[in-house]
């Protein structure tokens, strides 16, 4: 009887593997080279939420250990805080950079949540960020030029979801493309 068990387990995992790779990826995507952006055009503001493996931005996924690594982290934080250079928004919106929030427990950025603290022993680490822009005409914005590929060597693809009064859009930018356009 016990002989049958491994086969059953094997079949189950095979079935799961075929049936749900997409949903598994969507739930916990940490793919080196990939950055995810969620862009919300809402009233007078555009908020860009970014989720990136730390490796994309600094080349490692732990606290910096050397002066060179500390310098890399410092440069990266500086680049991300100057987000109006990373995200060049269609001038039709007349947008100005507002608050930037960076979260990366591995780098000691932001406040570590209980979940982050619990999962802190893993081999991978992310940097999550939100970039808020205040606009006088946010709904007029039809494109954003994204400079993440020039600012950082790691990213190869940026998957984007845009929620705006004009609708929901999904876009994918691949190096070396930079223009994220939607609407009409
Ligand atoms: Zn990783």
């Amino acid at each position: 009887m016990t002989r049958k068990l491994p086969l059953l387990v094997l079949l189950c995992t095979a079935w799961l593997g075929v049936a749900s790779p997409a949903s598994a990826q969507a739930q916990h995507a940490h793919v080196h080279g990939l950055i995810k952006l969620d862009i919300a055009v809402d009233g007078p503001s555009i908020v860009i939420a970014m989720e990136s493996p730390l490796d994309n931005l600094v080349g490692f996924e732990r606290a910096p250990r050397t002066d060179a690594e500390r310098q890399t982290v410092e440069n990266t934080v500086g680049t991300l805080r100057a987000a109006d250079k990373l995200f060049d928004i269609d001038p039709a919106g007349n947008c100005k950079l507002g608050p930037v929030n960076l979260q990366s427990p591995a780098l000691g950025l932001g406040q570590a949540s209980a979940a982050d603290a619990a999962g802190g022993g893993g081999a991978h680490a992310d940097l999550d960020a939100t970039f808020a822009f205040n606009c006088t005409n946010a709904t007029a914005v039809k494109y954003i030029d994204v400079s993440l590929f020039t600012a950082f060597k790691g990213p190869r693809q940026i998957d984007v979801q845009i929620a705006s009064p004009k609708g929901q859009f999904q876009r994918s930018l691949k190096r070396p493309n930079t223009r994220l356009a939607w609407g009409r």
Side-chain angles (χ1 to χ4, degrees), residues 30-32 53-55 61 123-126:
H30 179 110
V31 178
H32 290 193
L54 202 48
D55 180 77
E61 302 200 328
H124 292 280
D126 283 349

Side-chain angles (χ1 to χ4, degrees), residues 15 23 43 47 52 64 69 97 115 118 123-125 142 144 150 158:
W15 180 80
S23 60
V47 178
S52 173
E69 288 183 352
L97 180 62
H124 292 280
K142 291 178 182 134
I144 299 176
T150 40
I158 305 170

